[in-house]
Amino acid sequence: MKPTPQTLPNWLAYCEHLHPTAIDLGLERVQTVAQRMGIRLTCPVITVAGTNGKGSTCAMLEAILLEAGYRTGVYTSPHLVHFEERLRLSGEAVNDAKLIAACARVESARGQNDDEISLTYFEFTTLAILDVMAQSKLDVAILEVGLGGRLDAVNIIEPDCAIITSIDLDHMALLGETREAIGYEKAGIMRTGKPVVVSDPLPPQSVLDRALEVGADLWRVGVDFNVTGDKLQWGWAGRGRRYSGMAYPALRGANQLVNAGGVLAALTALRELLPVTAQAVRNGLVFVDLPGRFQIVPGQPNLVLDVAHNPHAVAALALNLDAMGFFPTTHGVFGAMADKDVSALMARMNPLIDRWYFTDLPTPRAASAQDLQQAWRALNTRSDASASTHPDPESALQAALAQADPADRIVVFGSFYTVGGVLKDGVPRLQAKHLPGA
């Protein structure tokens, strides 16, 4: 009998080495293990797919439903600092003891009847999290798709409502080279007769075609619901319900209104299953919190944290930074995975960043700081900018702080590892010294 890990970090390390060299991309293996475990979610389920905006959408849904008095379970990935962040029960990160017990149940089920089923790290941990959710007596489950949709482990669960957020080019080696191909994969979470909310204002045709093909109840922004706003407040209207005079969501950035619109469409579509009051909607959106999404940390200098790591997200970050007003110098801490088009990301941010601090990240999948600096030099678009390399995000942040004046701005962006690296000991409160001659 194989020894089983006793701690969550040991289980996660064990899962990392489970990756088979060759694995079919179907869901049959995951479904078989889930059936052996008896995993069933008996509450309403909302599944969220998309390239950007998934985490924000899940957080807003959670905040509103908590305000309405529901027991919520929310599964999101990846995490910033601790794995336990991936599952929130009634707004709190799950206790690691529950995950340890669930991992043991997954391991037992996948080896049942001397028929060992291969699982990836994501599939194994998803099953463990779904198992905890199934045993937690939830009123509602919110599931964020990890990658794609059609073949994602989350898709073994039948949703009562699907949400598809903005779709852009990312993970193209796995999902396809075009928005149409990627949209088709995301659309795999739709179900016949069930509502699907598409909050992307310009969705790929493949998404709309798939909704028609499966007979889903399509809710499309600009057709089935609309979002309006001015400088002080915003409103939503669609299919027999209207919200007006609302304060803007606490999550910053113009793109969050698109996400909030999709959230209200989903809650309207589910109003018979999950009734919520207008006050719960208002309070939830005002109090929602999600680290690492255009998170502004007041200090001297200002600190901005954003997990933008694809062209669409970085474009939104650039627009949001532009709207912040004038800063004498903007310092950028950046680390990213090697499969990203880092040159395109840097080109979009280069006009805004005066000093770059490239960082290594603690995963073999990451581009090295040296490679990032080389790619930046190849752009050669600004003679007045500078760049340096650092062994980890915390070192890069400290180097930026040493070079910054209190009136400056430091932007930490890119991979979850980059933002998580500066949050590992809590949210930094920066206090720069006045530089000589400043």
Side-chain angles (χ1 to χ4, degrees), residues 155-308:
N155 205 30
I156 66 168
I157 302 295
E158 290 293 307
D160 294 276
C161 178
I163 302 177
I164 297 177
T165 63
S166 68
I167 294 172
D168 202 59
L169 302 179
D170 203 3
H171 302 293
M172 292 181 288
L174 292 168
L175 301 181
E177 297 289 325
T178 65
R179 284 184 80 235
E180 291 295 333
I182 293 170
Y184 177 80
E185 293 298 325
K186 309 287 186 190
I189 66 169
M190 297 179 185
R191 296 295 192 273
T192 301
K194 301 290 186 180
V196 55
V197 175
V198 178
S199 53
D200 189 323
L202 293 169
Q205 189 61 39
S206 58
V207 171
L208 307 179
D209 290 346
R210 184 63 180 162
L212 190 63
E213 184 183 330
V214 303
D217 175 21
L218 179 63
W219 289 60
R220 186 176 171 187
V221 65
V223 179
D224 300 277
F225 63 97
N226 288 285
V227 173
T228 55
D230 57 29
K231 289 185 178 179
L232 297 176
Q233 58 190 22
W234 73 290
W236 182 97
R239 293 212 200 170
R241 182 160 285 189
R242 181 182 298 273
Y243 297 94
S244 58
M246 289 190 290
Y248 278 90
L251 300 182
R252 295 179 173 91
N255 46 315
Q256 294 299 356
L257 211 53
V258 174
N259 297 327
V263 165
L264 296 190
L267 292 174
T268 301
L270 292 173
R271 58 189 161 193
E272 291 184 12
L273 278 176
L274 293 166
V276 297
T277 65
Q279 196 58 45
V281 168
R282 291 172 190 276
N283 289 350
L285 292 176
V286 166
F287 296 131
V288 63
D289 177 52
L290 186 63
R293 276 65 165 194
F294 198 59
Q295 179 183 359
I296 300 175
V297 183
Q300 294 184 318
N302 259 299
L303 175 64
V304 179
L305 307 172
D306 201 308
V307 291

Side-chain angles (χ1 to χ4, degrees), residues 299-324:
Q300 294 184 318
N302 259 299
L303 175 64
V304 179
L305 307 172
D306 201 308
V307 291
H309 56 262
N310 58 53
H312 187 269
V314 167
L317 171 60
L319 289 172
N320 290 334
L321 291 172
D322 261 341
M324 284 180 71

Side-chain angles (χ1 to χ4, degrees), residues 84-159:
E84 295 92 318
E85 297 166 27
R86 294 191 180 205
L87 174 57
R88 295 191 299 276
L89 299 172
S90 293
E92 300 294 330
V94 67
N95 181 291
D96 66 348
K98 290 185 176 182
L99 288 175
I100 292 167
C103 285
R105 287 193 290 271
V106 176
E107 181 64 7
S108 173
R110 82 178 189 91
Q112 200 173 300
N113 307 325
D114 297 321
D115 173 27
E116 188 165 279
I117 294 175
S118 293
L119 295 173
T120 65
Y121 173 93
F122 183 77
E123 289 167 343
F124 190 108
T125 54
T126 295
L127 283 166
I129 284 169
L130 292 174
D131 185 52
V132 174
M133 294 178 93
Q135 298 187 39
S136 295
K137 297 180 179 175
L138 302 175
D139 295 322
V140 55
I142 300 164
L143 307 177
E144 179 191 339
V145 168
L147 183 68
R150 183 173 64 93
L151 299 173
D152 189 89
V154 162
N155 205 30
I156 66 168
I157 302 295
E158 290 293 307

Side-chain angles (χ1 to χ4, degrees), residues 405-406 433-438:
D405 188 76
K433 295 175 181 175
H434 282 279
L435 299 174

Side-chain angles (χ1 to χ4, degrees), residues 410-430:
I410 299 176
V411 182
V412 179
F413 74 107
S415 165
F416 274 75
Y417 285 102
T418 312
V419 175
V422 304
L423 289 173
K424 61 183 174 56
D425 297 319
V427 178
R429 302 288 172 179
L430 305 184

